[in-house]
Amino acid sequence: MRRRPAKRRSRKASSSEQLVWVGGGLLVAWVLLTGVVRFMATHPWVPVVLVLLVGGAVAAWMALRRRAAQWERVRSQGLRYALAQLDALHHRQFEYAVRDLMRRDGCADALQVGGAGDNGADVKATDPYGRRWVLQCKHRKAGLAGSAVGTPDLQVLNGTGRPVHKGDVVVLVTNGRFSKPAVDFARSQRLHLVDRSVLAQWAGGSRPLWELLGAIPPPRRPTPLS
């Protein structure tokens, strides 16, 4: 029966310690605050310097971002790939290279979308004429000596390029070659093929892909230069 008062005393002691800690913290905070206020009162130039420093840092950061954006535009406009560079890429890197080439040609919204569940599309883009491009990429480590891209890949692309992805121009890009049945199938289904020779012209030059391919659909909107 005598143990209960002891517990109450311990609880009271714990509460008192907490109040002491809280009070001590508030006192320290008050001392620091008053010290800062007094320092600022005796050194009024300090806030001005701090504002200038922060403003300068923000301005420098914004200038760096602008320069980086300008450099990216210059880099993308002058982007070139040699076939040997493309051959050495991983298949996912090859998709990003195709995306960058589309951006170079003026497709600002070009995106790499390849991966699990991509439904046959690796890159999507809208050209300056409003046409929607859907591109599937097939990379061959051995380049021209690798296995030919056949009709099964084209059948997948044909089944999703327009119905699912709403593409106006549906393209299969490879650094290798296509089989004869694949070429015939693409012609019959209005699919566009970019083989090694066309890829060399596109990646190594400055002409956009729509100038290298035939039977491209008409523009959806006027060219920005018209």
Side-chain angles (χ1 to χ4, degrees):
M1 297 297 294
R2 295 180 179 178
R3 293 179 181 177
R4 291 180 180 176
K7 290 182 179 179
R8 290 174 183 172
R9 284 196 298 270
S10 63
R11 290 175 182 172
K12 289 181 180 179
S14 177
S15 299
S16 299
E17 290 177 358
Q18 291 178 359
L19 289 174
V20 170
W21 280 106
V22 171
L26 292 174
L27 179 61
V28 171
W30 174 255
V31 171
L32 290 175
L33 180 61
T34 54
V36 169
V37 171
R38 289 175 183 173
F39 180 82
M40 293 296 183
T42 56
H43 302 82
W45 52 270
V46 171
V48 177
V49 172
L50 289 175
V51 170
L52 292 175
L53 288 174
V54 172
V58 171
W61 177 75
M62 293 179 66
L64 287 174
R65 287 199 63 182
R66 284 195 298 269
R67 289 178 184 175
Q70 291 172 354
W71 169 248
E72 178 60 25
R73 285 195 294 270
V74 172
R75 186 199 69 80
S76 63
Q77 290 171 358
L79 183 64
R80 301 287 188 278
Y81 286 110
L83 285 176
Q85 291 176 289
L86 296 174
D87 290 342
L89 296 177
H90 180 269
H91 71 87
R92 191 71 70 214
Q93 294 173 319
F94 183 62
E95 295 172 9
Y96 282 107
V98 170
R99 177 207 63 182
D100 291 343
L101 287 169
M102 294 299 289
R103 288 183 179 178
R104 180 201 70 183
D105 294 345
C107 305
D109 67 342
L111 288 175
Q112 184 277 339
V113 295
D118 59 21
N119 288 321
D122 293 319
V123 176
K124 294 182 181 180
T126 306
D127 67 25
Y129 302 92
R131 293 172 298 210
R132 187 66 174 163
W133 289 67
V134 176
L135 303 98
Q136 187 180 79
C137 304
K138 292 298 177 184
H139 185 266
R140 296 291 186 259
K141 291 183 179 180
L144 195 61
S147 61
V149 178
T151 53
D153 293 315
L154 286 170
Q155 288 169 346
V156 172
L157 180 61
N158 188 49
T160 60
R162 296 185 183 94
V164 176
H165 301 294
K166 310 303 180 185
D168 297 308
V169 189
V170 183
V171 186
L172 201 151
V173 183
T174 182
N175 64 322
R177 56 194 173 89
F178 293 96
S179 68
K180 178 62 167 58
V183 173
D184 295 337
F185 179 82
R187 186 179 297 112
S188 69
Q189 300 299 316
R190 297 182 297 112
L191 302 176
H192 297 274
L193 303 182
V194 176
D195 61 10
R196 189 172 181 84
S197 62
V198 178
L199 180 62
Q201 297 178 62
W202 182 35
S206 58
R207 296 175 64 191
L209 188 55
W210 46 89
E211 292 185 4
L212 300 173
L213 300 177
I216 296 296
R220 284 182 173 270
R221 58 173 179 259
T223 171
L225 299 179
S226 63

